[in-house]
Amino acid sequence: MYPTAGRSEGAGQQAEREPTGSASTTIRAGELEVGYIDGGSGVPLVLIHGGESDRTAYATLRTHLGAGIRAISYDQRDSGITVNPPDPYTMGDLGDDVASLLDALGIQSAHLLGTSFGGAVAQHAALRHPERVASLTLIATTPSFALTGEPIDKLLNMPYDDMRRAVDDFFVTPGGRAELRSRAAETLVTRDHEQRARRHAAARQHEVRDRLGEITAPTLIVHGTEDQLAPYAGAVLMEQRIPNAQLRSIEGGRHAIGMEFADTIALWVRELLGVRAA
């Protein structure tokens, strides 16, 4: 058995962040034992978490998605309770893992929603397995690590305590700090040095600018205009190059728009998925 990717919070804290009526479990998907949360019923929507988060990161968005959506969030390699081999991997491997998870769950195709690093994973999944992807929602992400620049390098090299203190600078708007500071910080989970190094190495290889025209799925791009970690120019480029894409901007939004503006984004997602209001 491979060593599991661990996290610092206790089981009681973790359970408090999972959606009502749902519980974490694992399933064999390819070479991985994948931790996931499967909640609701209806159109399948796979939620792909960011680089420093895990399957529980979408607790806020889930509360706004409403009826008619089966929301599935899972732990990527070196995340949460997923068990994976201690070997290097690429963004393409992480995209393949999405298809393996769908196989394990008996789902032929699903809508994908990814935030930040998860949005990059979603892009690779859509390029490598177009027949499995009904639509894409890309939140606060980029088509290339090369577009991110100095702020992301600064964040990735921070000790975890410093990263949590940096929430105000990078993640939430001044107006959202009082309500969201602690919740945004809680989505940042700890990994050991090897796990962190593997994920950061994969992120630095992310480059699909010249392949965006190959994405066939209807695509919703949601981006904050003041995102320092995934600059807004990357969102504009994705809208220009993905054939069936629409960019919806959040004026003044920073990197945690998926949490801070979850109610608005959930409405846009329901519209994309063709799910009528409850």
Side-chain angles (χ1 to χ4, degrees):
M1 182 65 69
Y2 303 124
T4 184
R7 58 177 299 162
S8 62
E9 67 179 1
Q13 291 172 299
Q14 177 177 302
E16 289 176 1
R17 294 167 57 199
E18 292 173 1
T20 302
S22 301
S24 292
T25 188
T26 61
I27 192 169
R28 189 71 182 179
E31 65 176 352
L32 311 180
E33 193 72 23
V34 177
Y36 72 105
I37 304 170
D38 192 346
S41 61
V43 177
L45 174 65
V46 178
L47 307 172
I48 309 176
H49 65 76
E52 304 301 325
S53 302
D54 69 1
R55 70 194 179 285
T56 64
Y58 287 103
T60 300
L61 182 62
R62 281 177 178 273
T63 64
H64 295 284
L65 285 173
I69 295 177
R70 176 186 176 187
I72 303 159
S73 58
Y74 73 98
D75 288 327
Q76 299 158 24
R77 298 184 188 219
D78 291 321
S79 303
I81 58 174
T82 283
V83 179
N84 56 269
D87 303 321
Y89 45 83
T90 66
M91 297 302 292
D93 293 328
L94 295 174
D96 291 343
D97 290 344
V98 176
S100 295
L101 177 62
L102 294 179
D103 287 340
L105 295 172
I107 299 172
Q108 181 59 38
S109 67
H111 301 269
L112 305 185
L113 182 154
T115 298
S116 190
F117 183 101
V121 173
Q123 292 168 58
H124 286 269
L127 287 166
R128 295 167 74 91
H129 304 278
E131 74 286 355
R132 311 300 297 273
V133 180
S135 76
L136 283 178
T137 300
L138 304 176
I139 302 174
T141 191
T142 180
S144 171
F145 186 85
L147 295 178
T148 58
E150 182 179 348
I152 193 71
D153 274 325
K154 179 180 178 181
L155 187 74
L156 295 181
N157 288 316
M158 284 181 183
Y160 279 108
D161 286 345
D162 291 346
M163 187 182 295
R164 290 185 174 91
R165 284 191 288 268
V167 164
D168 282 358
D169 292 330
F170 293 117
F171 288 91
V172 296
T173 67
R177 287 174 186 171
E179 178 184 358
L180 290 171
R181 177 185 289 118
S182 61
R183 276 196 285 158
E186 285 170 4
T187 67
L188 305 175
V189 301
T190 56
R191 294 175 174 84
D192 66 32
H193 176 75
E194 289 76 18
Q195 293 165 346
R196 201 177 188 191
R198 285 191 291 266
R199 288 181 65 76
H200 292 179
R204 293 178 190 281
Q205 298 167 15
H206 173 51
E207 176 57 77
V208 297
R209 281 176 289 185
D210 290 341
R211 298 195 62 196
L212 292 172
E214 301 172 34
I215 294 177
T216 57
T219 301
L220 169 65
I221 302 161
V222 184
H223 216 93
T225 60
E226 294 186 15
D227 191 330
Q228 300 177 61
L229 302 179
Y232 186 74
V236 173
L237 183 64
M238 289 189 291
E239 183 188 37
Q240 291 171 342
R241 295 191 179 181
I242 297 174
N244 190 11
Q246 177 188 18
L247 170 60
R248 287 192 159 176
S249 305
I250 295 181
E251 191 64 34
R254 297 189 178 181
H255 202 58
I257 55 173
M259 176 179 291
E260 186 171 354
F261 301 94
D263 53 349
T264 297
I265 292 174
L267 289 175
W268 293 342
V269 170
R270 291 180 66 84
E271 179 182 321
L272 178 68
L273 272 55
V275 179
R276 295 181 179 180

